Amino acid sequence: MDIDTISEQIVAGDRRALSRAITLIESSRKDHREQAALLMEQLKGADRQAIRIGMSGTPGVGKSTFIESFGTMLTARGLRVAVLAVDPSSARSGGSILGDKTRMEQLSRDPNAFIRPSPAQSHLGGVARRSREAVAVCEAAGFDVVLIETVGVGQSETVVAEMSDLFILLLAPAGGDELQGVKRGIMEIADIILVNKADGDLKPAATRTCTDYAGALRLLRKRPQDPAGFPKAMMVSAMHQEGLEKVWEEMTALVEWRRENGHFDARRKEQARYWFEQEVRNGLLARLETPQAREAMQDYAARVAEGAITPTVAAQEVLDGLKG
């Protein structure tokens, strides 16, 4: 792959080049990783910024419907929208259904939208390991908004928050007891909580749920990156396209306030440091996947099982061997 040519095509907005670049980024082959690193270095010069919006929610809450309605509303305003959707992978084959293009049929046909499903594979938190780089490539391609949708499994909310400017938690209408099931940590990183399906017979339940979460948010410790009134809970109906304009107004108001008060750039710098440390950790773990390291691990594991050596000493000897 000619890195100079593909980087120029990406900056020019070539969708085929963008898809090829993300495929390259997601590859684990050593030569592809080297090419991907060169590409990311080249694209850094584009110096473009999109609003990165991370989104999470339990299955069935209507994330795909919301993203399609919300994305279509944004493209109608003349904005270019990229959707990076991470699908759960099979533990057996590593494969994924990748059905987001099917579920977002209208948005996938929109010339101002780009949808890229990616399998989560084994990466913690349901976020593809290279999602962060894919976001940067979409920014370089000139997209105004990048939506990062992830499955709501364990650590996914924390991980996606480390690559986004806004974190949105999508919830369904429910009884008051539902609030007990939402982890405090998720509430603490959410910028806006959206109660979806606020229509028809579910509207009264959505109103109660929204009120419950608004009250819970007021009990949390004030964050320095929030203006008055944030974080907040709001109601939307993705199916009927209700409340979406107001949500976008609140998002842009929050981003502008953070830009003006220095929080936006400071947060991106923190995220860059976080991902640098993650890359170092991932690189160290990759050393354990070499044939020599796997053979040594099996040998030490057998000795530990027989009681010939303690797990602590065996682990230290394996790590000392990696230093060489």
Side-chain angles (χ1 to χ4, degrees):
M1 186 179 292
D2 186 337
I3 298 302
D4 290 334
T5 301
I6 198 168
S7 63
E8 289 172 6
Q9 291 171 338
I10 289 169
V11 173
D14 187 316
R15 297 162 69 92
R16 188 183 296 272
L18 176 59
S19 294
R20 289 181 63 205
I22 295 177
T23 300
L24 177 69
I25 284 166
E26 291 176 347
S27 173
S28 57
R29 272 177 45 176
K30 187 174 184 295
D31 57 331
H32 286 175
R33 292 305 313 144
E34 291 170 355
Q35 284 189 309
L38 288 173
L39 177 62
M40 297 309 299
E41 197 65 28
Q42 291 254 23
L43 293 176
K44 189 175 66 174
D47 197 25
R48 292 172 172 172
Q49 279 191 343
I51 297 179
R52 306 172 181 175
I53 302 174
M55 183 165 295
S56 190
T58 53
V61 77
K63 289 194 299 294
S64 295
T65 304
F66 173 81
I67 290 173
E68 177 162 60
S69 296
F70 186 64
T72 302
M73 183 266 294
L74 294 179
T75 57
R77 286 172 168 238
L79 298 172
R80 298 183 68 212
V81 178
V83 179
L84 301 176
V86 182
D87 274 15
S89 298
S90 163
R92 179 177 297 177
S93 66
S96 182
I97 295 173
L98 303 177
D100 289 280
K101 283 197 173 183
T102 304
R103 288 180 288 170
M104 304 178 195
E105 188 177 354
Q106 183 181 350
L107 189 61
S108 65
R109 295 197 303 264
D110 194 315
N112 283 326
F114 174 82
I115 300 176
R116 174 71 182 214
S118 299
Q121 296 175 339
S122 60
H123 191 61
L124 177 66
V127 178
R129 180 179 171 187
R130 299 298 168 187
S131 292
R132 174 188 57 86
E133 291 174 340
V135 169
V137 174
C138 290
E139 281 190 318
F143 285 90
D144 303 295
V145 178
V146 181
L147 291 165
I148 311 148
E149 179 204 1
T150 183
V151 290
V153 284
Q155 299 296 318
S156 61
E157 290 82 7
T158 304
V159 177
V160 78
E162 289 296 343
M163 64 177 78
S164 54
D165 304 314
L166 299 174
F167 177 70
I168 310 300
L169 181 61
L170 205 63
L171 298 171
D177 290 342
E178 185 71 14
L179 186 59
Q180 300 293 331
V182 176
K183 295 178 183 176
R184 180 185 175 94
I186 300 172
M187 299 278 285
E188 288 174 332
I189 63 174
D191 294 304
I192 300 175
I193 292 177
L194 297 180
V195 181
N196 192 23
K197 304 183 181 181
D199 51 61
D201 294 340
L202 288 174
K203 191 157 189 177
T207 302
R208 289 194 300 271
T209 304
C210 188
T211 302
D212 288 343
Y213 282 104
L217 289 172
R218 283 193 290 271
L219 297 175
L220 298 179
R221 184 183 296 127
K222 177 72 174 172
R223 305 183 305 184
Q225 71 268 30
D226 292 331
F230 284 91
K232 64 174 55 181
M234 302 175 67
M235 292 191 302
V236 295
S237 171
M239 184 173 290
H240 296 285
Q241 292 86 42
E242 294 173 0
L244 302 179
E245 298 273 356
K246 181 62 176 174
V247 168
W248 178 239
E249 288 173 14
E250 296 289 354
M251 287 180 180
T252 51
L254 180 55
V255 168
E256 286 308 310
W257 186 89
R258 287 178 175 173
R259 285 188 196 274
E260 291 168 4
N261 290 273
H263 296 292
F264 187 91
D265 291 334
R267 179 63 179 146
R268 288 217 170 178
K269 288 176 182 177
E270 286 176 17
Q271 290 175 346
R273 282 194 288 267
Y274 170 86
W275 287 107
F276 158 69
E277 292 173 2
Q278 289 298 111
E279 285 296 323
V280 173
R281 289 189 177 95
N282 289 332
L284 289 173
L285 289 173
R287 292 190 177 187
L288 293 174
E289 295 301 317
T290 62
Q292 297 89 341
R294 282 200 296 267
E295 186 178 340
M297 289 275 286
Q298 289 172 357
D299 178 53
Y300 275 102
R303 291 169 60 192
V304 167
E306 292 167 0
I309 187 171
T310 66
T312 303
V313 172
Q316 190 59 54
E317 290 185 10
V318 170
L319 292 173
D320 289 341
L322 290 177
K323 293 176 184 177

